[in-house]
Amino acid sequence: PKNLPMRSMLEVLALEILDAVYGGLQQHASLDELTEEQISPAGWNSLVPWYAAVAGHRTVAKRAEERAVAAEAEAAKVTEKLAPTEKSLVEEQSKTLRLQEKLAKANQAHQAVSVQLEESEAGALHFRGQVKHALSDFAEMQMRDQQSRADMRELDRLIKEKSIKNED
């Protein structure tokens, strides 16, 4: 019976309950509008209950949260493993900086020594030239000294000859 008051109240209530339970149920004005396929057990089994959908989303969210926690734990482990390596990297970087500073100081010292070496070499060349002149002057002086001595001996000899001639 279609027009019974009880049916009209129960039909609306049944549609609301079915709509609340199943998410894919289409809205109909009456249960009479449902097809035989929709009313069959296979039709009801094809519909996904809201609880399953919500529980599925909750499960997916819970699994995602568990994966996030696991990923955070993994990241913490990796960070923990990398901490000594990171410390050694920092130490190596500081050693590198110190060695670079030492190298820069050594290069500056090398340049200063190179300048001093060039100045010393220039001074040595100048000294060598002065020594050559001094030696040539010394040789000339020795020659003059020998000539003077020879002249002196010659003069002494001449004086002796003259004094011998004068005594005779």
Side-chain angles (χ1 to χ4, degrees):
K2 286 188 175 180
N3 293 332
L4 293 176
M6 184 70 141
R7 179 181 174 166
S8 53
M9 285 189 333
L10 286 176
E11 189 175 8
V12 172
L13 184 61
L15 284 173
E16 282 297 319
I17 290 172
L18 289 174
D19 187 44
V21 171
Y22 295 104
L25 187 66
Q26 298 174 355
Q27 291 290 332
H28 296 284
S30 171
L31 289 175
D32 292 333
E33 296 175 10
L34 294 174
T35 64
E36 191 63 37
E37 283 180 19
Q38 291 173 325
I39 297 175
S40 71
W44 290 111
N45 287 337
S46 69
L47 296 175
V48 178
W50 283 109
Y51 174 76
V54 170
H57 290 299
R58 283 186 188 151
T59 304
V60 169
K62 186 176 180 182
R63 286 183 186 156
E65 188 175 318
E66 289 171 356
R67 284 194 308 262
V69 168
E72 286 177 1
E74 180 77 20
K77 285 180 185 178
V78 169
T79 303
E80 200 173 290
K81 284 182 182 178
L82 289 179
T85 306
E86 192 173 318
K87 284 181 182 178
S88 67
L89 175 65
V90 169
E91 290 172 3
E92 292 299 323
Q93 286 175 338
S94 65
K95 283 181 185 178
T96 301
L97 289 175
R98 280 186 264 135
L99 289 175
Q100 285 175 343
E101 289 172 0
K102 284 183 180 180
L103 178 64
K105 288 179 182 178
N107 284 338
Q108 288 175 350
H110 180 266
Q111 288 177 350
V113 168
S114 295
V115 168
Q116 287 178 347
L117 178 65
E118 289 174 6
E119 290 173 356
S120 297
E121 286 176 351
L125 285 174
H126 181 66
F127 178 72
R128 193 176 295 152
Q130 287 179 341
V131 167
K132 281 183 182 179
H133 288 298
L135 286 176
S136 68
D137 288 346
F138 179 70
E140 188 178 323
M141 291 299 279
Q142 278 183 333
M143 189 176 74
R144 283 184 186 171
D145 181 48
Q146 287 174 357
Q147 281 179 349
S148 297
R149 286 183 186 190
D151 287 344
M152 183 95 134
R153 279 190 298 254
E154 183 66 28
L155 285 174
D156 281 342
R157 191 182 59 76
L158 284 175
I159 290 175
K160 278 185 184 180
E161 279 181 14
K162 284 187 183 182
S163 69
I164 293 176
K165 279 187 187 180
N166 282 338
E167 287 181 8
D168 284 334

